[in-house]
Amino acid sequence: MFVLKSGIPPLDTTLLFVQTLNGVQLGLLLFLVASGLTLVFGILDFVNLAHGSLYMLGAFICASLTFLVGNFLLAVLIALPITGVLGYLIERFVARPLYARDHLDHVLGTFGLILVLDTSVHLIWGPAGIAVPLPAWLEGQVGLFGDVVVPSFRLLIIAAGLAAAAGLFWLVNYTRLGMLIRAGASNRTMVSALGIDIQSLFALVFALGAMLAGLAGMLIAPITEASIGMGNNIIITAFVVIIVGGIGSMKGAFFAALLIGLIDTLGRAFLDDFFKLFMSSDAAENSAPALSAMLIYILMAVVLSVRPQGLFPPKVR
Amino acid sequence: MIGFSRSARINIGVMAILAILPVFFWWTGQTFYLSLATRLVILAIAAVSLNLILGYGGLISFGHAAYIGIGAYAVGIPAHHALYGGMDFIASNNGFFQIALAVVAAAVFALITGAICLRTKGVYFIMITMAFAQMVYYFFVSIEEYGGDDGLVIDTRSEFPLVNLDQPIVLFLVSYVVLVLAMWLVNAIVNSRFGMVLQSAKGNNDRTVTLGYNTYLYRLTAYVISGAMCGLAGALLGNFATFISPEMMDWSRSGELMFMVILGGTATALGPVLGAAVFVVVAQFLSELTIYWHLPFGLMLIAVVLFARGGLSGILRGKGS
Amino acid sequence: MTTLLSVKGLKKSFGGVTATDDVDLDVIKGELHAIIGPNGAGKTTLISQLSGAVKPDAGVIMLNGANITHKPAHTRARLGITRSFQITSLVMDMSVLDNVALAVQATDGHSFKFLKPARKIGHIRDKALAMLAEVGLAERAEDPTRNLSHGEHRQMELAIALASEAELMLLDEPMAGLGPEESATMVAYLKSLKGKRTILLIEHDMDAVFALADRISVLVYGKVIATGLPDDIRSNDAVRHAYLGEE
């Protein structure tokens, strides 16, 4: 145990609770992005750097629709199939010709795609970010217990994230499509030998991944606004998630996303206080930001040194 | 030129043009083009270093821009402290010290991250190199003393006896000499016994291990050499731009470096230089035409990946793509 | 008679499927020891465990009296074990000579030598050329490996195994995919090696096995059911049962 220096206030439990909730929220958004990545990689063996661009497109399309139809939730419902179609188009014209190539060609081709999509968004929506207004009933705050108050929209994000995760879990484990997805991941030739149209299955999986990433973008847009390049930041964190979780594993993506969401949020919020327990105030304030920025990468490095295949490696392909 | 093969003649020709043209720009006072050429040459050094592990080692590193950043900060941070005080043990404008710091810091970072990355294969390797580069990015973003997001102005260029980097033509010539040395070194390495093992591990790792080579150590060594060389390029870039910001090591910068190597042709001596040249010139040309230049540029990238495998040097040498 | 390789209680299973089940095996210095068995008997898995490519679940592997069970593959190669692969495993982008020279180079100290051109090191090149000549490929030395036929690739595998100067050569179906003429050539090469090297040979071609082997072990469902001289194996009831289903 560390000896508490005098004059350090005890940990604020309300703040801890709120930050934990924020961590869960970030984790669930990360899961929505990472699940599509891991699905596409697990089944198609395809590395899609442009997956983050779908997150960005989801946010922009939802923003425009919110102004058009006047209701954020309705806009989300319309934007989802649109991002799905965009995902399908990307699969058809960029990804599909690259399946037979190596990973190097995948990353280069989709890197080019990022430039194209980012600039297209710039052309259509302009350089500035777009704020997305929420309906009045989502703007407020909800008192949970004691003096703990959280924005109701954040609770909606958490609920939507959990619902999407549950839906995905049900889809993969209890439906015919899910059976094909699991079979396709472990034995591609077998699935096509059984007469399943593997081409359509791939396209469907890609579109599904696009919708999940798009949904994450739509959910975050009212908080951060839709902006160019927003996808390029989250994609790396999503990579860290699937590396830690085990590439191709849905369960791994879920737990790793929550873990990384929590570590990142709590690290940024409390690391300096934690450091102050055993170093001077100045030293803590200087070193904490640098370390908390690197925390999730250090976690990744540690996990990889112990388990190079991630925490939940998928079954042998 | 009797006695030289076709590819050697092309190499000498291109390198000669790359030396003479900028001197001509300088002579005629076209400083803009001279500075474009300097940037080209510095990026070419980084691309040559990446080619060692990507082209000859088959290691798809998507985090090479981190070494450029480390190298540039190794110039900027000592210069910053030399001017504003603090951190006396690194405060210095001495060029030899800054270059040594750049190379050593880049090598150490390559050693630590490489030791972890190289335990993994394939797509893991791509993503992890990317993630570690992003870690460096966020590290420098979070340090306010060095400007955080906004970056750090390098007030004083590296100081060397007799060589004044404040003169654009001197900076160009120094960079050019470093490029030629880097090309020579990579060429020597890949043709040496070490290089044979490295290339064999790329072609067939199991076989190479079975012969008795610890391919992990060979790859790690190549990874460190490549990182150190790229750190040197970063130190030059810092002197060229007199400014360094985390944005210079954003992962899209790493993607651009990779694209230069692929565009020029992997595992060739001249490929990375050609790739860097085309990249810098086309980017300059397009960005003068439109602010939306990334759109045609991205389309070009996709087209190269889909249709022009083997890169420019493949086309130059008349090999089918 | 000294034992070069001694295997005791070697076990390996992949997700419930047992590939090697308590295998005991002794290979005597200088002999050509063949391992036969029906498809799926675990022959290649056995070789992979001996070469270090696959880690056993249990058991001990001794080479020259030293325990090498936990040594990585590259260390075992340095200690004198080389293997050829069932599926041709060469560096296709390199020339034939470069492939063999790499094997020679591996016997010539470490290769952390960065500046001297490898292709100009006379004694390595000469020895690699000699190995190629020995397997009849001297004229193809400068050709890219991918341009050679399957039969020539098998010969290259052999040249590499020879060049490595390994005491123990693990050969995984060197005759696989060869026509009758090429097979006969390969048998002749192997015969010429007998006595000079210790060889553990996996082979489906029974004529070749019985023509070459000093001793034979029979592997069925991961278990060694018999070891002995070729004539004993031919008349062994358990072997006949395993192969022919005779009662």
Side-chain angles (χ1 to χ4, degrees), chain C residues 75-116:
Chain C
T75 309
R76 292 186 203 200
R78 298 261 164 188
L79 290 172
I81 299 182
T82 187
R83 80 174 284 189
S84 74
F85 291 84
Q86 187 176 353
I87 303 159
T88 302
S89 177
L90 300 159
V91 186
M92 292 295 166
D93 295 331
M94 292 176 124
S95 75
V96 174
L97 183 58
D98 283 349
N99 264 279
V100 181
L102 259 161
V104 179
Q105 190 183 310
T107 66
D108 192 47
H110 70 80
S111 287
F112 286 95
K113 294 164 183 147
F114 297 93
L115 296 180
K116 194 168 168 191

Side-chain angles (χ1 to χ4, degrees), chain B residues 73-94:
Chain B
Y73 272 106
V75 173
I77 291 174
H80 172 82
H81 287 298
L83 190 62
Y84 298 105
M87 303 274 278
D88 290 338
F89 62 102
I90 57 165
S92 169
N93 286 325
N94 183 314

